[in-house]
Amino acid sequence: MALRPVHVIVKAVDASAVGRFWAEALGWTAYRPGAATYVGPAGGLVWPHPVALGVDVVPVPDPKTPAKNRVHLDIATHSAAQQTELVARLRKLGATPADVGQCDVPWTVLADPEGNEFCVLEPREVYRDTGPIAAVVVDCADPRAMARFWGEAIDWAPHEVTDDHAVLRSAQGTGPYLEFLRTPGVKTAPDRVHLDLLPYPGDDKAAEVDRLRSLGATDLDVGQGDVPWTCLADPEGHEFCVLAPH
């Protein structure tokens, strides 16, 4: 048994506006199947997508705190000209420069209109075929421990595991990467960005949740009430949800 990541949740006060921003950032389409705004590849709403991780922007009442998000997206580009054009276009759409202590780096750190940090990367061969989302990046204290937990939790395979950096990707070799970076500091606020995981058809959600608890996940109350998904936190406190089978 294993779960598959199906989308990235981004919390926003104005989910519609932030959803439109992310659609422009990724070159995708914003859909409104409900209160949330789902951003996915053009051509019609397909969920779960066989390759891409969609971005589901969900409305919340409270704005982001000043604390840096512990999870962010890296956006891939294929040329220096594309990187420059994309950064300029996103700034016109409401993105702002963000200082997360990056110093002199070849990528550009921005924040979306509600302050969620993300990176527009310089061209890198490793992200040549990921699609617009190069990676979901998670700050952590112990990349090796995170790789062990997430490598068991989901059906993605490890590509690199060191003391400072761990990388997983779908076993099919498609779509974005999940990366864990050793980063100073600790989690001080609820995550504004997190992953949603989905059981495969025929798998038992309750059994999957129990399996995750045995791996070190803990139950999480974010005021979700009576919902068909289960909110959990990984061993370092990063929130994620296990959805009902689709």
Side-chain angles (χ1 to χ4, degrees), residues 116-164:
N116 299 298
E117 301 89 356
F118 65 97
C119 297
V120 180
L121 302 181
E122 78 285 2
R124 301 185 194 180
E125 180 62 22
V126 67
Y127 301 133
R128 174 179 52 83
D129 61 351
T130 60
I133 299 177
V136 180
V137 183
V138 182
D139 294 348
C140 67
D142 188 343
R144 289 187 184 275
M146 287 293 93
R148 286 193 296 271
F149 173 83
W150 284 93
E152 292 285 343
I154 63 177
D155 63 344
W156 287 18
H159 279 242
E160 175 188 357
V161 179
T162 71
D163 289 344
D164 295 319

Side-chain angles (χ1 to χ4, degrees), residues 33-110:
T37 297
Y38 186 81
V39 178
L45 178 59
V46 176
W47 186 91
H49 196 276
V51 174
L53 283 184
V55 175
D56 200 14
V57 185
V58 300
V60 294
D62 299 319
K64 180 180 180 292
T65 69
K68 173 182 175 289
N69 285 340
R70 300 286 285 178
V71 182
H72 74 265
L73 297 182
D74 280 354
I75 299 179
T77 64
H78 302 295
S79 69
Q82 184 194 8
Q83 182 189 19
T84 299
E85 183 278 330
L86 181 58
V87 168
R89 182 160 54 85
L90 293 180
R91 292 193 62 177
K92 288 182 180 178
L93 292 169
T96 54
D99 184 355
V100 294
Q102 67 268 26
C103 299
D104 185 17
V105 293
W107 59 89
T108 301
V109 184
L110 298 173

